[in-house]
Amino acid sequence: MTSTADEVAAWWATSVSRIEPGVIEYRGRPIQELIGAITLPELIYLMLRGSMPPAGHAALLEAAMVSGADHGPHAPSIAIARMTATCGVGLNSAIANGVNTLGDVHGGAGQQCLELLDDIVSGADPASVVATVRYFPGFGHRFHPVDPRREPMLRLIRQAVDDGVIPGRHLAAALAVEEILGPRVPMNVDCLTAIIYGELGFAAPLARGIFALSRSIGILAHAWEETQQGRRIKGPIPPSILPEYRG
Amino acid sequence: MTSTADEVAAWWATSVSRIEPGVIEYRGRPIQELIGAITLPELIYLMLRGSMPPAGHAALLEAAMVSGADHGPHAPSIAIARMTATCGVGLNSAIANGVNTLGDVHGGAGQQCLELLDDIVSGADPASVVATVRYFPGFGHRFHPVDPRREPMLRLIRQAVDDGVIPGRHLAAALAVEEILGPRVPMNVDCLTAIIYGELGFAAPLARGIFALSRSIGILAHAWEETQQGRRIKGPIPPSILPEYRG
Amino acid sequence: MTSTADEVAAWWATSVSRIEPGVIEYRGRPIQELIGAITLPELIYLMLRGSMPPAGHAALLEAAMVSGADHGPHAPSIAIARMTATCGVGLNSAIANGVNTLGDVHGGAGQQCLELLDDIVSGADPASVVATVRYFPGFGHRFHPVDPRREPMLRLIRQAVDDGVIPGRHLAAALAVEEILGPRVPMNVDCLTAIIYGELGFAAPLARGIFALSRSIGILAHAWEETQQGRRIKGPIPPSILPEYRG
Amino acid sequence: MTSTADEVAAWWATSVSRIEPGVIEYRGRPIQELIGAITLPELIYLMLRGSMPPAGHAALLEAAMVSGADHGPHAPSIAIARMTATCGVGLNSAIANGVNTLGDVHGGAGQQCLELLDDIVSGADPASVVATVRYFPGFGHRFHPVDPRREPMLRLIRQAVDDGVIPGRHLAAALAVEEILGPRVPMNVDCLTAIIYGELGFAAPLARGIFALSRSIGILAHAWEETQQGRRIKGPIPPSILPEYRG
């Protein structure tokens, strides 16, 4: 190969996968050895981290992903996918539009929470960290008085700590924050998943990235349901109601 | 509630999930009973179909999703996600841009193949169906002389037929097509996954929808690798090479 | 340059623009000569067609783009952009989500109408063309009994025909279709803009492409208004109304 | 109407447009009076600001939008749109993917520059503002030794100041910054457009929003050129070059 070809090949260098004629490897493992042999959470871990997960880690990742898959049509990610699906584009575009909304406000709380928990795990004083933010991401919920995902998630996490699967430092950090914030601002699903991602060693931006994978499942289910109903060009409200004009 | 409220509530009616203060149910099942209890492929099946998968079905769905997760930077879905990740948007937008490309040409072959296999399973003559299309979607590969995913996928599917897990009618349809097309146009991963989706009873558009979920995993892994490298505003080729001007 | 560099440069060959260090040309014209010298519709025409528009053509293009810029929050493209803008992403992503919805159903009627008008202009019998479709795209409106854009658009188009600016063949085709469909299914804005794009010589897919540019203006205005209101994670309906659960 | 209907109507209240059966108004002006009567930059100004632009303002807005419409396939927004157009989705999705990339890094420099210029115009000391940032957005260019858009843009802006069309305060702020940064870091197109947007009174986020409208024009032209070439599933580099594997 010429040096130009080398330069171009280097521009797209990757250690995620090797794709050559007749060869497909994910993270150095031939696809033939993976198909039928690894689970989806193991695949996600392998692709993002470069190695297979330690015992017990895939199950926690799976639980976190189950917990965030859907939150109904009040969630912009869900409603937008449903509306997009009525406009004459494929399910791929409906999913894309839904996932695209998972920004700093709608899908970023887990990432923001994990950044702060990481600070505490690295030695920062919980009260000092709490004092730096107006609202602590991942705590309280505008909709659920008690988040029904809290107890089963906490139980799983605690069991994993007891079993030596994870060290429990992010759990301790979150509990310390919850103690400071008081009983009316309990941890919500964003914090609970952030604890898991942190305990498993994921970087904070992946809290958002993995949430996007998880929410994609609910997005697809809703977009597909909408497709089957056959409505065309679905607006947010029935046509009989006109938006108020304030000009 | 007033009739207007009923009308608005009906506009967004859904049987996918029930979300009320303190209540989260997926397909009628409280989230508390799902977290830690079901796997990701089971979740995907439940959300899309409304019930838990029969024995053996989740494993086949999982294998199909492992097989399509990544195909490296030559795939527009992967390259576009990497480039988008360098532009100052979140991983959510990088994933969205990658998934959005999975249209009729890049991600639609599985859906198109399943539609044709469904026709054959419903009684159409394989040779007649083959005669209606210029290229049979899901057969042949522009890159791999032999698709390394073919053997492990076929082995799994055949085993499932032998075990009575699936009826084997979509497999038979695909083998009949392969027989007609000849040894130089073997089934590729799009057909192999279409067989699985068809055997499991998924509607053809979900072949594309589930592929989008699968490919999202590879998209995220690549976008994240690119993010960590720190390059900004990544174009498709090194800056030293100027696109040819043909004006 | 090596042949590899040539191959890579050819892969990205374009006649739209020439960008080299110190050089920016659009369609062979130095940017210095364009800034302050051409209007936006002239720019759009130049970029899409490769030459400057004949006299009178830019004004018709401009009128078409004004007519489709906004249709309020009942349009998914508008509502989705507003909702996306509340999720913590930039205006770029709000626009992208809105434009992405302009598929075959929501934004494709102009393209579909132009394809049929092109057939008639090429010699097909209007009645035969009408007979091939269940609904003729670009005629009738589910919302407006009379589309208020009809008269001013028709007046402009007729004046341009009288002035010899355009030949009037697409106008004649559309009027012939309207005659056949009857007074209760008058041409709507999609047909009126399709007439203009056809008269100006644009290929049918650009009816959708240019509509996307036009609608982007309304999308941005709505996304920006929403941003200023400061609401976070805006769902389609007030939180007090729960979607009906039909499981 | 019931109070529920009022609540729902208020949820989607807007002063951008009024759409009722038979009525389309943009910012309180009937569409009949706008079609054929206003130009595209006037429309953009009207939709974003709520009133028609003062004399001379639309021409400056138009010049700014011409300057940023295209920067060739090295720009991710352009390359991604071209690649997306080969994947079997509509031009709407190709545009969406291109616009979606215009984030903080690829399309945000104008917004960031305007925020800093606004600070200076509001009384902050230029040297102090310069000292707060590592790189001043809108100055220097990684590709052009001299940005060919600089002279024609500056000439237009200066003429407008001389003619009393704009006050010239953002121009003065930018010139003060340029003086401090020195001749090797001249203002680039992001600063030049930021000056115009600032002089016209646009809020900083609209520097990105209007840039998205402008760049959409180049994105569409490139996506359309790619569509016509007929290549399918276009990756970033020729298939003969394999990305380097670094696993």
Side-chain angles (χ1 to χ4, degrees), chain A residues 12 14 17 40 62 70 225 236, chain B residues 12 14 17 40 62 70 225 236:
Chain A
W12 285 100
T14 177
S17 56
L40 280 179
E62 198 154 41
D70 189 12
E225 185 186 58
Chain B
W12 285 100
T14 178
S17 56
L40 280 180
E62 198 153 42
D70 189 11
E225 186 186 56

Side-chain angles (χ1 to χ4, degrees), chain C residues 12 14 17 40 62 70 225 236, chain D residues 12 14 17 40 62 70 225 236:
Chain C
W12 285 100
T14 177
S17 57
L40 280 180
E62 199 154 40
D70 188 12
E225 186 186 57
Chain D
W12 285 101
T14 178
S17 57
L40 280 180
E62 198 153 42
D70 189 11
E225 186 186 56

Side-chain angles (χ1 to χ4, degrees), chain B residues 29 34 37-39 42-43 45-46 49-55 57:
Chain B
R29 290 156 200 258
L34 300 175
I38 65 170
T39 67
E42 288 172 335
L43 173 70
Y45 191 101
L46 171 66
R49 306 288 288 273
S51 58
M52 289 295 285
H57 285 209

Side-chain angles (χ1 to χ4, degrees), chain C residues 198-233:
Chain C
E199 296 281 353
L200 301 188
F202 283 99
L206 288 176
R208 190 194 307 199
I210 298 171
F211 173 56
L213 298 184
S214 160
R215 180 51 60 90
S216 294
I217 298 169
I219 287 171
L220 172 58
H222 279 277
W224 174 238
E225 186 186 57
E226 189 71 47
T227 301
Q228 292 176 290
Q229 291 175 356
R231 199 184 270 145
R232 292 161 61 93
I233 313 183

Side-chain angles (χ1 to χ4, degrees), chain B residues 225-238:
Chain B
E225 186 186 56
E226 189 71 49
T227 300
Q228 291 175 291
Q229 292 175 357
R231 198 184 271 144
R232 290 161 62 92
I233 313 183
K234 177 178 184 157
I237 50 177

Side-chain angles (χ1 to χ4, degrees), chain C residues 7 11-12 14-15 17 22 26 39-40 62 66 69-70 92-93 96 100 102 144 208 225 231 234-236 240, chain D residues 7 11-12 14-15 17 22 24 26 39-40 62 66 69-70 92-93 96 100 102 144 208 225 231 234-236 240:
Chain C
E7 186 190 6
W11 188 252
W12 285 100
T14 177
S15 61
S17 57
Y26 295 169
T39 66
L40 280 180
E62 199 154 40
V66 167
D70 188 12
N92 53 309
S93 292
N100 205 26
L102 301 175
H144 297 294
R208 190 194 307 199
E225 186 186 57
R231 199 184 270 145
K234 176 178 186 159
S240 61
Chain D
E7 186 189 7
W11 188 253
W12 285 101
T14 178
S15 59
S17 57
I24 298 176
Y26 294 169
T39 66
L40 280 180
E62 198 153 42
V66 167
D70 189 11
N92 53 308
S93 292
N100 205 26
L102 301 175
H144 298 294
R208 188 193 308 197
E225 186 186 56
R231 198 184 272 143
K234 177 179 185 156
S240 61

Side-chain angles (χ1 to χ4, degrees), chain B residues 16-241:
Chain B
V16 174
S17 56
R18 191 158 74 97
I19 312 293
E20 297 178 5
V23 176
I24 298 177
E25 292 177 6
Y26 295 170
R27 295 289 188 181
R29 290 156 200 258
I31 190 76
Q32 299 93 308
E33 299 175 10
L34 300 175
I35 293 173
I38 65 170
T39 67
L40 280 180
E42 288 172 335
L43 173 70
I44 293 166
Y45 191 101
L46 171 66
M47 294 296 276
L48 292 174
R49 306 288 288 273
S51 58
M52 289 295 285
H57 285 209
L60 287 169
L61 177 58
E62 198 153 42
M65 290 184 67
V66 168
S67 74
D70 189 11
H71 207 260
H74 273 299
S77 50
I78 298 294
I80 283 174
R82 293 189 74 118
M83 293 164 71
T84 302
T86 71
C87 293
V89 295
L91 287 172
N92 54 309
S93 293
I95 298 171
N97 262 17
V99 169
N100 205 27
T101 67
L102 301 174
D104 289 344
V105 174
H106 185 26
Q111 174 177 350
Q112 294 149 16
C113 181
L114 182 49
E115 286 165 1
L116 296 174
L117 296 182
D118 279 340
D119 287 346
I120 296 172
V121 167
S122 300
D125 175 55
S128 306
V129 172
V130 168
T132 62
V133 290
R134 187 161 173 187
Y135 301 107
F136 204 100
F139 286 79
H141 205 289
R142 57 178 197 155
F143 189 80
H144 296 294
V146 181
D147 191 319
R149 296 163 288 196
R150 188 177 182 280
E151 287 315 307
M153 294 281 282
L154 265 186
R155 194 168 56 243
L156 280 179
I157 295 167
R158 284 184 164 130
Q159 187 64 50
V161 175
D162 290 347
D163 294 347
V165 166
I166 49 176
R169 295 180 300 169
H170 286 81
L171 172 61
L175 290 171
V177 170
E178 199 176 49
E179 177 82 20
I180 295 167
L181 294 176
R184 286 195 294 190
V185 194
M187 56 179 83
N188 64 34
V189 71
D190 293 314
C191 177
L192 291 154
T193 53
I195 294 171
I196 289 179
Y197 300 138
E199 296 282 352
L200 301 189
F202 283 99
L206 288 176
R208 188 193 307 197
I210 297 170
F211 173 56
L213 297 185
S214 160
R215 179 54 57 91
S216 294
I217 298 168
I219 287 172
L220 173 59
H222 279 277
W224 174 237
E225 186 186 56
E226 189 71 49
T227 300
Q228 291 175 291
Q229 292 175 357
R231 198 184 271 144
R232 290 161 62 92
I233 313 183
K234 177 178 184 157
I237 50 177
S240 61
I241 303 177

